[in-house]
Amino acid sequence: MNVLVTGGAGYIGSHTVVELINARHQVIVVDDLSNARIDVLDRIEEICGRRPEFYQMDCADKNRLQQVFIHHRIDAVIHFAGFKAVGESVKKPLAYYRNNLDSTMTLLEVMEEFGCRKLVFSSSATVYGPDNPHPYKESMPAVCSASPYGWTKVMIERILKDYATAHPNFCAVLLRYFNPIGAHVSGLLGDDPNGIPNNLMPYIGRVAGGKLERLTIFGGDYPTPDGTCQRDYLHVVDLAIGHLKALEYAESNHGAEAINLGTGKGTSVLELVYAFQKVSGIQVPYVIGPRREGDLPAFWADAEKAKRLLGWEAMYTVEDMCRSTWNFVRKNK
Ligand code: UFG
């Protein structure tokens, strides 16, 4: 298939591009490089022996996107492009709504124009909001979020559902990611955000690599077994493979289907720190600080629907996630 990957140079996008190329798909990447580096394409080529077609552009640029569809007969789209920092979205809500909604609607208009009917969208567990009990199931109301970033996911899911209702041949798979971490086994691709990381695993990586002094654990008094928050961490390579399974699903189905991608297991912040120390042999100094606003104490996925509909299950362990992160950190000092 000719697969357009928006945001394909980013953390999850680049791992997905590798799996697509390995599965012999023709991959066309669109990325504005606002949160990714151009050398990711060299690294993808080094891993796969093939380079995806690349267009540096904003996918809300309709004229340029139309040109991409004219040059390539796009069979399906995986849509990662979007702003994704939860805290930043609270400070810049308009930028988040404008960017994430505009790019998706422009993409849908161009897909419609060129008769492209298969879309895999990167949604998030944040759409379950604070009120659902965990494990989160897709049948629960997923209509609210704690941040403007999360609201863009809720709104885009709504747009895709309405679009699928109006276009019975269209299929959208709304993949609700839990907490992707880890890196490609080669150590060439991984999560390397600009500036000080917001997310836990890249922060641990910077501390272990000597670039930051210590980790602050946000809250040690949650109602969890060790007092720190629990999340459903999944390996980014498992997540990437989930996108391939979703593409296969979209080939023979219609409508908009929301599917969780998680392991179904919760791991606490302290458990992740200890697992990282164990596999790396490096101490990660930490202090317990105050809670971070908006954090929920604990949640994880009910992963049954992904298994049933996609035949997908997470394969990698938390230790694998830590080992691959450490390998990435060491190779990219
Ligand atoms: N944490 C720390 N210290 C840090 C960073 C994080 O203790 O320096 C803790 C957080 O308090 C939380 C856990 O580590 O308990 C995980 O935090 P992340 O920031 O890595 O991930 P979140 O669960 O907050 O957010 C993730 C995604 C979002 C998505 C959200 C869904 O990053 O995109 O899950 O709820 F919206």
Side-chain angles (χ1 to χ4, degrees):
M1 262 198 280
N2 286 349
V3 185
L4 174 66
V5 183
T6 73
Y11 171 48
I12 304 171
S14 59
H15 286 84
T16 303
V17 168
V18 165
E19 298 304 323
L20 287 166
I21 294 177
N22 286 343
R24 321 254 11 118
H25 292 293
Q26 305 302 318
V27 182
I28 300 98
V29 169
V30 160
D31 199 304
D32 66 1
L33 299 181
S34 60
N35 194 24
R37 281 196 287 265
I38 186 81
D39 75 338
V40 162
L41 297 160
D42 302 330
R43 290 166 178 237
I44 291 172
E45 188 173 7
E46 202 177 325
I47 294 167
C48 305
R50 264 164 68 205
R51 196 180 180 84
E53 291 277 346
F54 175 64
Y55 296 87
Q56 183 176 351
M57 54 173 272
D58 182 344
C59 72
D61 182 338
K62 194 168 188 179
N63 288 336
R64 292 199 64 196
L65 196 60
Q66 285 165 324
Q67 292 304 314
V68 173
F69 275 76
I70 288 169
H71 280 101
H72 306 273
R73 187 186 45 77
I74 303 291
D75 298 303
V77 179
I78 305 182
H79 182 37
F80 293 104
F83 293 161
K84 61 169 191 177
V86 175
E88 184 186 59
S89 78
V90 177
K91 296 194 183 97
K92 300 182 185 172
L94 288 184
Y96 272 69
Y97 288 118
R98 170 66 74 194
N99 183 66
N100 292 2
L101 297 182
D102 248 12
S103 59
T104 307
M105 290 198 294
T106 305
L107 176 64
L108 279 176
E109 285 168 0
V110 176
M111 287 177 72
E112 180 170 9
E113 191 181 331
F114 289 85
C116 182
R117 299 194 195 92
K118 293 183 269 289
L119 178 69
V120 178
F121 172 61
S122 29
S123 190
S124 165
T126 193
V127 301
Y128 289 105
D131 296 329
N132 284 302
H134 57 81
Y136 292 152
K137 275 179 186 299
E138 295 86 345
S139 54
M140 292 172 175
V143 290
C144 124
S145 179
S147 68
Y149 156 79
W151 275 107
T152 69
K153 298 295 181 189
V154 172
M155 290 175 184
I156 293 169
E157 284 202 359
R158 181 74 253 163
I159 290 168
L160 291 172
K161 282 175 191 158
D162 290 343
Y163 185 80
T165 304
H167 298 83
N169 288 330
F170 183 77
C171 185
V173 186
L174 320 174
L175 294 179
R176 293 177 179 162
Y177 311 155
F178 281 68
N179 286 58
I181 59 171
H184 192 261
V185 67
S186 62
L188 290 168
L189 301 174
D191 194 5
D192 189 15
N194 296 329
I196 295 182
N198 298 307
N199 296 116
L200 179 60
M201 193 52 136
Y203 205 106
I204 291 176
R206 297 265 169 101
V207 174
K211 290 195 174 153
L212 290 170
E213 206 177 320
R214 74 172 83 80
L215 170 72
T216 300
I217 295 180
F218 299 139
D221 58 353
Y222 282 101
T224 59
D226 64 20
T228 65
C229 291
Q230 294 169 302
R231 294 286 181 274
D232 185 340
Y233 297 99
L234 80 155
H235 199 299
V236 66
V237 173
D238 271 332
L239 183 61
I241 292 167
H243 289 76
L244 269 72
K245 300 276 188 187
L247 269 188
E248 283 168 26
Y249 176 87
E251 280 212 84
S252 43
N253 289 279
H254 300 131
E257 199 70 59
I259 303 179
N260 290 339
L261 291 184
T263 65
K265 288 189 274 292
T267 301
S268 75
V269 177
L270 273 175
E271 283 170 335
L272 194 67
V273 171
Y274 295 151
F276 189 94
Q277 293 186 149
K278 189 172 144 210
V279 301
S280 67
I282 301 284
Q283 284 301 304
V284 178
Y286 66 83
V287 290
I288 309 269
R291 293 181 177 193
R292 181 171 69 177
E293 204 183 329
D295 276 344
L296 297 174
F299 61 84
W300 49 86
D302 180 319
E304 187 276 334
K305 188 173 178 185
K307 193 170 171 185
R308 182 164 44 86
L309 292 192
L310 307 182
W312 178 90
E313 240 182 314
M315 304 300 288
Y316 291 103
T317 63
V318 165
E319 282 74 24
D320 296 328
M321 302 172 208
C322 293
R323 199 174 293 112
S324 60
T325 302
W326 178 230
N327 182 43
F328 175 71
V329 170
R330 274 186 309 170
K331 289 210 168 136
N332 294 277
K333 277 190 166 167

